[in-house]
Amino acid sequence: MYHKKKYIDQNVYNKTLERLEYLYRLYDEVIVSFSGGKDSTAMLLCAIDVATRLGKLPVKAVFYDEEAIHPPTIEYVERIRNRPDVDLEWYCLPIKHRNACSNEQPFWHCWHPEEKHLWVRDMPEWAISEHPRFKFGMSMQDFGLAHFKNTNKVVIQGIRTEESIRRYRCVARKKQDNYLSTPEKGVAFAYPIYDWSSLTYGG
């Protein structure tokens, strides 16, 4: 069962700030899942706005470096990392990924410790390459759940329902509190910009 869309007399930006303020008051820590893309950037900047007002700076963020990333994106994430109002943890772990380019090797691991000669680029000197909750062969989703399991923290993600029906379902299930989800595995996720749109309208 899914909720139908309901429109209110409030713009999505102000509503996002309201949601974030609620999250900052509800949880011990609010963590931005940052990819370097436009949606996670919008999410991060909104979090900075709210954290500044509440005296909660710097904003905590995590970046999972998947090795084969476009160089301008890496440069941009580096600039974000160097901001004084952001505390960004940069992870370079051998995450397991599907390999659509080979039938013989259906999976590959970024930053494989035994295949440094195949790395696309050098690992950043500031990268976190080990974590007590990471086990070799974990997928990105598995580690994301293990990373924050059973903590009073919320991971906020820049998911917008406009992008796909699957993302719409993430925030439309009745068992969830709209943009805030607490799965059975003990990790809380929130999607404060789920109702944003990338569309622009001309007059």
Side-chain angles (χ1 to χ4, degrees), residues 182-193:
T182 306
E184 294 179 0
K185 294 186 178 180
V187 182
F189 292 95
Y191 319 105
I193 64 167

Side-chain angles (χ1 to χ4, degrees), residues 48 50 52 77 79 84 93 115-117 124 130 155 164 172 186:
I48 290 172
V50 173
T52 300
V77 179
R79 284 191 278 123
L93 300 168
E115 298 179 351
K116 292 185 179 181
H117 62 292
E130 296 181 356
V155 180
S164 70

